Amino acid sequence: MDLIKALTLGAILSATLALVIGSQGTSAGPLAIHLIPVADARVYWSWPVFFGGSGLSFGLMLLQR
């Protein structure tokens, strides 16, 4: 259950950060933010931020046990 929570928090962090930085027109170097066209919408996404945020969230949940 903790893993599902961590993946959700990682996705929220990635979407929020990628939207703010990607809408400024930059890829933010090592964050590798890229535009994903979904139907008629534009979605910014970053896999490194997703994995890092998910790992950080999972670690914090393990520490709270």
Side-chain angles (χ1 to χ4, degrees):
M1 189 67 177
D2 285 339
L3 183 61
I4 294 170
K5 290 180 191 176
L7 292 175
T8 303
L9 290 173
I12 291 170
L13 174 69
S14 180
T16 304
L17 189 64
L19 176 66
V20 171
I21 295 175
S23 64
Q24 300 298 318
T26 182
S27 66
L31 296 181
I33 296 172
H34 57 277
L35 180 66
I36 301 173
V38 177
D40 292 333
R42 296 181 339 188
V43 178
Y44 292 97
W45 189 253
S46 174
W47 285 109
V49 174
F50 172 71
F51 291 130
S54 296
L56 180 65
S57 298
F58 188 70
L60 289 173
M61 286 181 203
L62 287 179
L63 286 174
Q64 291 179 350
R65 286 186 171 195

